[in-house]
Amino acid sequence: MLDPFVAVRSDLREEGRELDLLVAELDAQSWALPTPAAGWSIAHQIAHLAWTDRSALLSLTDADAFGRLVETALAAPDSFVDEGAAEGAASPPAELLARWRAGRTALDEALAAASPDARFPWYGPPMKAASMASARLMETWAHGQDIADALGVRRVPTARLRHVARIGVRARDYAYAVRGLPVPAEEFRVELTAPDGAEVWAYGPPDAAQRVTGPALDFCLLVTQRVHRADVAVTAEGPDADRWLDIAQAFAGPAGPGRTPAEPGRSAAGPGRTPAEPGRSAAGPGRTPTGPGRTPTGGAL
Protein backbone atom coordinates (compact mmCIF):
# COMPACT_ATOMS: atom_id res chain seq x y z
CA MET A 1 0.00 0.00 0.00
CA LEU A 2 1.35 3.42 -0.97
CA ASP A 3 2.37 5.60 1.97
CA PRO A 4 -0.24 8.41 2.35
CA PHE A 5 2.47 11.10 2.48
CA VAL A 6 4.05 9.78 -0.70
CA ALA A 7 0.60 9.64 -2.30
CA VAL A 8 -0.31 13.24 -1.54
CA ARG A 9 3.05 14.49 -2.81
CA SER A 10 2.51 12.53 -6.03
CA ASP A 11 -0.99 14.00 -6.37
CA LEU A 12 0.37 17.51 -5.78
CA ARG A 13 2.90 17.05 -8.56
CA GLU A 14 0.19 15.82 -10.91
CA GLU A 15 -2.15 18.71 -10.04
CA GLY A 16 0.62 21.16 -10.84
CA ARG A 17 1.47 19.33 -14.05
CA GLU A 18 -2.11 19.48 -15.33
CA LEU A 19 -2.39 23.19 -14.60
CA ASP A 20 0.98 23.72 -16.25
CA LEU A 21 -0.38 22.11 -19.43
CA LEU A 22 -3.29 24.53 -19.33
CA VAL A 23 -1.09 27.65 -19.33
CA ALA A 24 2.18 26.56 -20.95
CA GLU A 25 1.20 27.46 -24.53
CA LEU A 26 -0.76 30.64 -23.78
CA ASP A 27 0.29 33.80 -25.55
CA ALA A 28 0.90 37.04 -23.68
CA GLN A 29 -2.63 38.28 -24.39
CA SER A 30 -4.14 35.16 -22.83
CA TRP A 31 -1.99 35.50 -19.70
CA ALA A 32 -3.67 38.89 -19.25
CA LEU A 33 -7.22 37.50 -19.39
CA PRO A 34 -9.28 38.38 -16.30
CA THR A 35 -10.36 35.54 -14.02
CA PRO A 36 -13.34 35.31 -11.64
CA ALA A 37 -11.19 36.84 -8.88
CA ALA A 38 -11.74 40.57 -9.20
CA GLY A 39 -8.60 42.31 -10.46
CA TRP A 40 -6.69 39.07 -11.02
CA SER A 41 -5.58 37.89 -14.44
CA ILE A 42 -4.29 34.41 -15.27
CA ALA A 43 -0.82 35.79 -14.60
CA HIS A 44 -1.93 36.91 -11.12
CA GLN A 45 -3.22 33.40 -10.38
CA ILE A 46 0.06 31.70 -11.36
CA ALA A 47 2.08 34.40 -9.59
CA HIS A 48 0.10 33.78 -6.43
CA LEU A 49 0.73 30.04 -6.63
CA ALA A 50 4.44 30.69 -7.14
CA TRP A 51 4.43 33.08 -4.19
CA THR A 52 2.69 30.67 -1.82
CA ASP A 53 4.84 27.76 -2.97
CA ARG A 54 7.86 29.84 -2.01
CA SER A 55 6.26 30.61 1.36
CA ALA A 56 5.72 26.89 1.93
CA LEU A 57 9.31 26.15 0.92
CA LEU A 58 10.65 28.66 3.44
CA SER A 59 8.36 27.27 6.13
CA LEU A 60 9.89 23.84 5.56
CA THR A 61 13.50 24.94 5.19
CA ASP A 62 14.09 28.36 6.80
CA ALA A 63 11.83 29.25 9.72
CA ASP A 64 13.55 32.62 10.27
CA ALA A 65 12.99 33.69 6.67
CA PHE A 66 9.41 32.54 6.85
CA GLY A 67 8.98 34.54 10.06
CA ARG A 68 9.99 37.65 8.15
CA LEU A 69 7.29 36.91 5.58
CA VAL A 70 4.74 36.72 8.38
CA GLU A 71 5.93 40.07 9.73
CA THR A 72 5.42 41.59 6.27
CA ALA A 73 1.94 40.09 6.12
CA LEU A 74 1.02 41.44 9.56
CA ALA A 75 2.19 44.90 8.53
CA ALA A 76 -0.20 44.94 5.56
CA PRO A 77 -2.89 42.32 6.25
CA ASP A 78 -5.35 43.72 3.72
CA SER A 79 -2.96 44.04 0.80
CA PHE A 80 0.01 41.69 1.05
CA VAL A 81 -1.65 38.88 -0.93
CA ASP A 82 -2.65 41.22 -3.76
CA GLU A 83 0.76 42.87 -3.73
CA GLY A 84 2.55 39.55 -4.01
CA ALA A 85 0.36 38.49 -6.93
CA ALA A 86 0.74 41.84 -8.69
CA GLU A 87 4.52 41.79 -8.36
CA GLY A 88 4.76 38.34 -9.91
CA ALA A 89 2.21 39.11 -12.61
CA ALA A 90 4.34 42.03 -13.80
CA SER A 91 7.03 39.58 -14.96
CA PRO A 92 7.08 38.35 -18.57
CA PRO A 93 4.95 35.17 -18.85
CA ALA A 94 7.92 32.95 -19.73
CA GLU A 95 9.83 34.17 -16.68
CA LEU A 96 6.80 33.73 -14.42
CA LEU A 97 6.16 30.23 -15.73
CA ALA A 98 9.81 29.24 -15.21
CA ARG A 99 9.72 30.60 -11.65
CA TRP A 100 6.55 28.67 -10.82
CA ARG A 101 7.99 25.46 -12.23
CA ALA A 102 11.25 25.84 -10.31
CA GLY A 103 9.35 26.57 -7.13
CA ARG A 104 7.19 23.47 -7.51
CA THR A 105 10.27 21.32 -7.92
CA ALA A 106 12.02 22.86 -4.92
CA LEU A 107 8.92 22.46 -2.77
CA ASP A 108 8.52 18.82 -3.78
CA GLU A 109 12.12 18.13 -2.78
CA ALA A 110 11.64 19.91 0.55
CA LEU A 111 8.48 17.95 1.28
CA ALA A 112 10.30 14.69 0.53
CA ALA A 113 13.07 15.65 2.98
CA ALA A 114 10.77 16.93 5.75
CA SER A 115 10.16 14.96 8.92
CA PRO A 116 6.61 13.57 8.68
CA ASP A 117 6.00 14.23 12.39
CA ALA A 118 7.30 17.80 12.61
CA ARG A 119 4.95 20.79 12.49
CA PHE A 120 5.91 23.72 10.35
CA PRO A 121 4.80 27.37 10.76
CA TRP A 122 2.19 28.93 8.51
CA TYR A 123 0.05 32.04 8.31
CA GLY A 124 -2.65 30.00 10.02
CA PRO A 125 -2.05 27.14 12.48
CA PRO A 126 1.21 25.19 12.04
CA MET A 127 0.92 21.92 10.18
CA LYS A 128 2.73 18.74 9.29
CA ALA A 129 4.34 18.25 5.90
CA ALA A 130 1.49 16.03 4.67
CA SER A 131 -1.03 18.73 5.53
CA MET A 132 1.19 21.28 3.79
CA ALA A 133 1.14 19.16 0.64
CA SER A 134 -2.65 18.73 0.84
CA ALA A 135 -3.11 22.48 1.29
CA ARG A 136 -0.90 23.25 -1.69
CA LEU A 137 -2.87 20.77 -3.79
CA MET A 138 -6.16 22.32 -2.71
CA GLU A 139 -5.00 25.81 -3.62
CA THR A 140 -3.47 24.69 -6.92
CA TRP A 141 -6.76 23.03 -7.85
CA ALA A 142 -8.88 26.02 -6.78
CA HIS A 143 -6.80 28.63 -8.59
CA GLY A 144 -6.65 26.25 -11.54
CA GLN A 145 -10.46 26.41 -11.61
CA ASP A 146 -10.30 30.20 -11.89
CA ILE A 147 -7.89 29.84 -14.80
CA ALA A 148 -10.06 27.20 -16.48
CA ASP A 149 -13.09 29.48 -16.09
CA ALA A 150 -11.18 32.35 -17.66
CA LEU A 151 -10.27 30.16 -20.64
CA GLY A 152 -13.70 28.54 -20.93
CA VAL A 153 -12.12 25.12 -20.39
CA ARG A 154 -13.82 22.10 -18.82
CA ARG A 155 -11.56 20.17 -16.46
CA VAL A 156 -12.12 16.49 -15.81
CA PRO A 157 -12.40 15.89 -12.04
CA THR A 158 -10.07 13.28 -10.60
CA ALA A 159 -9.64 11.26 -7.42
CA ARG A 160 -7.20 13.95 -6.27
CA LEU A 161 -10.28 15.85 -5.11
CA ARG A 162 -10.33 13.60 -2.04
CA HIS A 163 -7.65 15.86 -0.54
CA VAL A 164 -9.76 18.97 -1.11
CA ALA A 165 -12.86 17.25 0.25
CA ARG A 166 -11.05 16.11 3.38
CA ILE A 167 -9.78 19.62 4.12
CA GLY A 168 -13.29 20.98 3.60
CA VAL A 169 -14.76 18.47 6.06
CA ARG A 170 -12.03 19.02 8.66
CA ALA A 171 -12.48 22.79 8.42
CA ARG A 172 -16.14 22.59 9.47
CA ASP A 173 -15.64 23.90 13.00
CA TYR A 174 -13.31 26.63 11.76
CA ALA A 175 -15.97 27.91 9.37
CA TYR A 176 -18.31 28.46 12.31
CA ALA A 177 -15.65 29.88 14.63
CA VAL A 178 -14.25 32.40 12.15
CA ARG A 179 -17.75 33.87 11.85
CA GLY A 180 -18.30 33.98 15.61
CA LEU A 181 -20.97 31.29 15.42
CA PRO A 182 -21.38 28.46 17.93
CA VAL A 183 -19.79 25.24 16.73
CA PRO A 184 -22.24 22.31 16.53
CA ALA A 185 -21.69 19.81 19.31
CA GLU A 186 -22.47 16.78 17.19
CA GLU A 187 -20.53 15.41 14.25
CA PHE A 188 -22.02 15.38 10.77
CA ARG A 189 -22.04 12.52 8.31
CA VAL A 190 -20.66 13.56 4.93
CA GLU A 191 -21.05 11.24 1.95
CA LEU A 192 -19.62 12.38 -1.37
CA THR A 193 -19.80 10.56 -4.68
CA ALA A 194 -16.29 10.34 -6.11
CA PRO A 195 -15.61 11.52 -9.68
CA ASP A 196 -15.69 7.93 -10.94
CA GLY A 197 -19.38 7.77 -9.97
CA ALA A 198 -18.93 4.50 -8.08
CA GLU A 199 -16.92 5.17 -4.94
CA VAL A 200 -18.33 7.13 -2.00
CA TRP A 201 -16.03 9.17 0.24
CA ALA A 202 -17.55 9.09 3.72
CA TYR A 203 -16.67 11.10 6.81
CA GLY A 204 -18.19 11.12 10.28
CA PRO A 205 -20.34 8.57 12.12
CA PRO A 206 -22.72 6.57 9.89
CA ASP A 207 -25.61 7.09 12.30
CA ALA A 208 -25.23 10.89 12.60
CA ALA A 209 -28.55 12.69 12.52
CA GLN A 210 -27.20 15.58 10.44
CA ARG A 211 -25.89 14.72 7.01
CA VAL A 212 -24.40 16.25 3.87
CA THR A 213 -24.48 14.37 0.56
CA GLY A 214 -23.67 15.09 -3.05
CA PRO A 215 -21.02 14.91 -5.77
CA ALA A 216 -17.45 15.38 -4.50
CA LEU A 217 -16.75 17.90 -7.27
CA ASP A 218 -19.66 20.09 -6.22
CA PHE A 219 -18.65 19.91 -2.57
CA CYS A 220 -15.07 20.91 -3.42
CA LEU A 221 -16.23 23.81 -5.58
CA LEU A 222 -18.43 24.95 -2.70
CA VAL A 223 -15.86 24.75 0.12
CA THR A 224 -13.25 26.56 -1.99
CA GLN A 225 -15.89 29.23 -2.69
CA ARG A 226 -15.82 28.68 -6.44
CA VAL A 227 -19.62 28.50 -6.67
CA HIS A 228 -22.70 29.57 -4.79
CA ARG A 229 -24.57 26.90 -2.88
CA ALA A 230 -27.57 27.33 -5.17
CA ASP A 231 -25.51 26.10 -8.10
CA VAL A 232 -24.39 22.73 -6.72
CA ALA A 233 -26.11 19.41 -6.06
CA VAL A 234 -25.02 19.20 -2.43
CA THR A 235 -27.83 18.70 0.08
CA ALA A 236 -28.10 18.76 3.87
CA GLU A 237 -30.28 17.08 6.46
CA GLY A 238 -30.55 18.90 9.78
CA PRO A 239 -30.44 22.63 10.59
CA ASP A 240 -26.76 22.78 11.56
CA ALA A 241 -25.64 20.85 8.48
CA ASP A 242 -27.81 23.14 6.37
CA ARG A 243 -26.20 26.21 7.93
CA TRP A 244 -22.75 24.77 7.32
CA LEU A 245 -23.30 24.64 3.57
CA ASP A 246 -23.94 28.39 3.64
CA ILE A 247 -20.61 29.14 5.33
CA ALA A 248 -18.27 26.25 4.44
CA GLN A 249 -14.68 27.15 3.61
CA ALA A 250 -11.64 24.96 3.10
CA PHE A 251 -9.08 27.64 3.88
CA ALA A 252 -7.69 29.50 6.87
CA GLY A 253 -8.29 33.22 7.18
CA PRO A 254 -11.29 35.51 7.49
CA ALA A 255 -14.63 34.53 6.01
CA GLY A 256 -15.23 36.08 2.62
CA PRO A 257 -18.47 37.12 0.91
CA GLY A 258 -18.51 34.00 -1.24
CA ARG A 259 -20.05 33.99 -4.70
CA THR A 260 -23.36 35.06 -6.09
CA PRO A 261 -25.72 32.55 -7.73
CA ALA A 262 -25.27 31.85 -11.42
CA GLU A 263 -27.38 33.80 -13.87
CA PRO A 264 -30.65 32.13 -14.95
CA GLY A 265 -29.97 29.55 -17.63
CA ARG A 266 -26.33 29.16 -16.64
CA SER A 267 -24.62 26.75 -14.28
CA ALA A 268 -21.26 26.56 -12.56
CA ALA A 269 -18.36 25.54 -14.77
CA GLY A 270 -17.15 21.96 -14.72
CA PRO A 271 -17.67 18.57 -16.37
CA GLY A 272 -21.30 18.13 -17.30
CA ARG A 273 -21.96 21.85 -16.88
CA THR A 274 -21.89 24.79 -19.22
CA PRO A 275 -18.35 26.20 -19.21
CA ALA A 276 -17.91 29.82 -18.30
CA GLU A 277 -17.28 32.42 -20.97
CA PRO A 278 -13.68 33.63 -21.17
CA GLY A 279 -13.04 36.14 -18.42
CA ARG A 280 -16.21 35.32 -16.58
CA SER A 281 -17.22 32.89 -13.85
CA ALA A 282 -20.64 31.31 -14.19
CA ALA A 283 -20.89 31.64 -10.44
CA GLY A 284 -20.46 35.39 -10.40
CA PRO A 285 -17.59 37.66 -9.36
CA GLY A 286 -16.62 35.69 -6.25
CA ARG A 287 -13.17 35.44 -4.72
CA THR A 288 -10.14 33.22 -4.66
CA PRO A 289 -9.55 31.00 -1.61
CA THR A 290 -6.95 33.50 -0.51
CA GLY A 291 -7.83 36.54 -2.57
CA PRO A 292 -7.63 40.19 -1.59
CA GLY A 293 -7.43 40.61 2.16
CA ARG A 294 -7.05 36.90 2.83
CA THR A 295 -4.26 34.97 4.44
CA PRO A 296 -2.89 32.07 2.40
CA THR A 297 -4.70 28.79 2.68
CA GLY A 298 -3.63 25.94 4.88
CA GLY A 299 -3.29 25.20 8.53
CA ALA A 300 -3.94 22.14 10.63
CA LEU A 301 -7.69 22.55 10.71
Side-chain angles (χ1 to χ4, degrees):
M1 181 177 180
L2 188 63
D3 179 90
F5 186 26
V6 174
V8 69
R9 283 173 31 227
S10 175
D11 284 347
L12 173 58
R13 287 194 301 271
E14 185 61 17
E15 196 66 41
R17 187 192 71 82
E18 285 199 3
L19 179 54
D20 195 312
L21 290 173
L22 198 58
V23 301
E25 302 301 323
L26 295 179
D27 57 25
Q29 185 176 3
S30 296
W31 278 86
L33 283 173
T35 68
W40 281 30
S41 65
I42 288 176
H44 283 80
Q45 300 283 354
I46 295 298
H48 175 70
L49 289 175
W51 183 87
T52 45
D53 282 345
R54 179 175 178 271
S55 293
L57 176 64
L58 290 178
S59 172
L60 292 166
T61 62
D62 191 339
D64 290 339
F66 179 77
R68 291 191 289 274
L69 289 183
V70 173
E71 291 175 1
T72 300
L74 291 175
D78 294 330
S79 61
F80 81 100
V81 170
D82 278 343
E83 290 169 359
E87 181 179 357
S91 301
E95 179 182 321
L96 173 57
L97 183 60
R99 186 185 311 134
W100 178 49
R101 287 171 172 170
R104 281 156 45 206
T105 298
L107 178 58
D108 180 60
E109 293 172 351
L111 286 166
S115 168
D117 297 320
R119 287 187 177 272
F120 298 92
W122 196 239
Y123 298 92
M127 54 185 164
K128 293 182 179 180
S131 294
M132 180 81 76
S134 294
R136 298 309 308 133
L137 188 154
M138 182 266 288
E139 192 171 16
T140 301
W141 178 79
H143 285 281
Q145 185 63 48
D146 286 337
I147 291 171
D149 284 349
L151 296 171
V153 171
R154 295 187 182 189
R155 298 196 300 173
V156 177
T158 73
R160 295 192 299 274
L161 286 178
R162 68 185 185 276
H163 303 292
V164 183
R166 180 173 179 269
I167 293 174
V169 171
R170 294 186 66 193
R172 185 203 75 164
D173 291 0
Y174 181 84
Y176 282 88
V178 76
R179 292 166 173 79
L181 299 172
V183 175
E186 60 183 297
E187 293 186 64
F188 299 165
R189 175 70 169 182
V190 179
E191 296 181 354
L192 305 173
T193 304
D196 65 8
E199 187 179 1
V200 174
W201 299 337
Y203 312 86
D207 59 348
Q210 306 213 52
R211 310 172 72 84
V212 168
T213 58
L217 172 61
D218 287 27
F219 180 79
C220 291
L221 288 168
L222 184 63
V223 299
T224 56
Q225 294 193 357
R226 284 313 180 281
V227 295
H228 188 274
R229 180 184 174 182
D231 299 318
V232 294
V234 181
T235 60
E237 297 177 26
D240 289 335
D242 185 72
R243 177 59 171 142
W244 179 40
L245 294 187
D246 289 331
I247 63 174
Q249 64 180 68
F251 48 86
R259 299 216 169 165
T260 57
E263 298 172 3
R266 295 179 64 85
S267 58
R273 300 180 174 84
T274 302
E277 298 169 0
R280 178 177 181 79
S281 165
R287 289 167 65 96
T288 62
T290 53
R294 289 270 179 93
T295 56
T297 56
L301 297 172

